[in-house]
Amino acid sequence: MLTHYTGNQPGDNPGNLPDPYYWWEAGAMFTALVDYWYLTSDDTWNNITTQGITWQAGPSGSFMPANQTRTEGNDDQSFWAFAAMSAAERNFPDPPPSSGSPGWLAMAQAVFNTQAARWDKSTCNGGLRWQIFTFNNGWTYKNTISNGCFFNLAARLAKYTGNSTYADWADTVWDWTGEVGFMTDTYRFWDGADVSSGCGDWNYIEWTYNTGVYLLGAAVMYNLVGFSLP
């Protein structure tokens, strides 16, 4: 995997993968490296993992780097939040205080706070849009992966912190996903819909990562509160 990574080379940006890989895929890569350390105790890649995550998180810890504004959606941001959340859950060593970087938990919370503020009740009675910025294609689309990632992150923060606000948000996202029709009664997950249709003209493409993020979030909520599916 790391044969594709150049972000630790002089002149490159830490955390970035070269073309043709997307920014969110780099976030998933660092989640895998956190898991690798946890499962093997091999710290060979810890320095580049910390460097990559903290660089892309930025001073605010919210993973909103200026060089990604043309491509960053809510789902992309979440995949980096997953790296930080996994690091907190795995007790991966926090960035050194001298770095001035927030800790892993603070990064995950920062992403949650930015996304909770984007919850859009003006269309489709709720939900996150795919895109963060109005000038990007997909701004008018609400998709399952963006909302599923938010659900996943809220559930994991609820379990990690014991803060019921996160659990309440997880319930809200789960309920909205069913009410808007992106999740069927048999737990099939459609891709999303445009807000111009009131999110009623569904895109029936099924991606496994849509199911996956909801599956993990539901498992965490069950572990936390005995969360039961309707």
Side-chain angles (χ1 to χ4, degrees):
M1 181 173 65
L2 286 170
T3 60
H4 301 283
Y5 182 57
T6 59
N8 59 334
Q9 301 299 317
D12 209 334
N13 290 322
N16 273 355
L17 282 166
D19 290 338
Y21 301 102
Y22 293 106
W23 184 65
W24 71 268
E25 291 177 301
M29 181 188 77
F30 286 111
T31 301
L33 288 175
V34 169
D35 289 342
Y36 171 81
W37 166 81
Y38 178 78
L39 294 168
T40 68
S41 299
D42 180 0
D43 63 3
T44 301
W45 313 111
N46 283 19
N47 287 342
I48 67 168
T49 300
T50 299
Q51 180 195 46
I53 297 174
T54 56
W55 184 277
Q56 295 298 324
S60 69
S62 62
F63 297 99
M64 295 285 293
N67 65 333
Q68 296 296 333
T69 55
R70 300 298 295 182
T71 58
E72 182 175 0
N74 282 301
D75 51 347
D76 305 281
Q77 184 190 27
S78 291
F79 271 86
W80 281 93
F82 291 164
M85 191 71 239
S86 291
E89 292 165 337
R90 302 296 204 186
N91 291 318
F92 189 81
D94 264 317
S98 59
S99 70
S101 176
W104 308 128
L105 175 61
M107 292 179 188
Q109 290 172 316
V111 172
F112 172 87
N113 290 337
T114 65
Q115 296 196 349
R118 296 183 197 127
W119 187 258
D120 173 31
K121 295 202 73 172
S122 69
T123 57
C124 309
N125 199 35
L128 291 178
R129 294 171 182 258
W130 178 18
Q131 293 300 315
I132 296 169
F133 303 105
T134 59
F135 50 75
N136 284 335
N137 289 332
W139 165 251
T140 64
Y141 192 68
K142 291 190 175 180
N143 63 346
T144 303
I145 189 59
S146 294
N147 289 281
C149 287
F150 184 43
F151 166 69
N152 182 301
L153 184 62
R156 292 164 71 182
L157 283 169
K159 179 70 168 61
Y160 188 89
T161 67
N163 186 331
S164 62
T165 298
Y166 296 122
D168 292 343
W169 267 105
D171 282 341
T172 295
V173 183
W174 178 274
D175 290 345
W176 178 83
T177 306
E179 290 163 3
V180 80
F182 293 173
M183 175 177 62
T184 75
D185 291 342
T186 55
Y187 307 110
R188 297 177 68 179
F189 290 87
W190 313 135
D191 186 67
D194 198 271
V195 300
S196 64
S197 70
C199 294
D201 186 11
W202 304 319
N203 180 340
Y204 290 100
I205 292 177
E206 296 180 74
W207 303 102
T208 55
Y209 74 164
N210 286 336
T211 305
V213 292
Y214 278 93
L215 183 62
L216 175 57
V220 172
M221 289 297 288
Y222 179 84
N223 185 262
L224 177 66
V225 295
F227 178 70
S228 59
L229 303 178

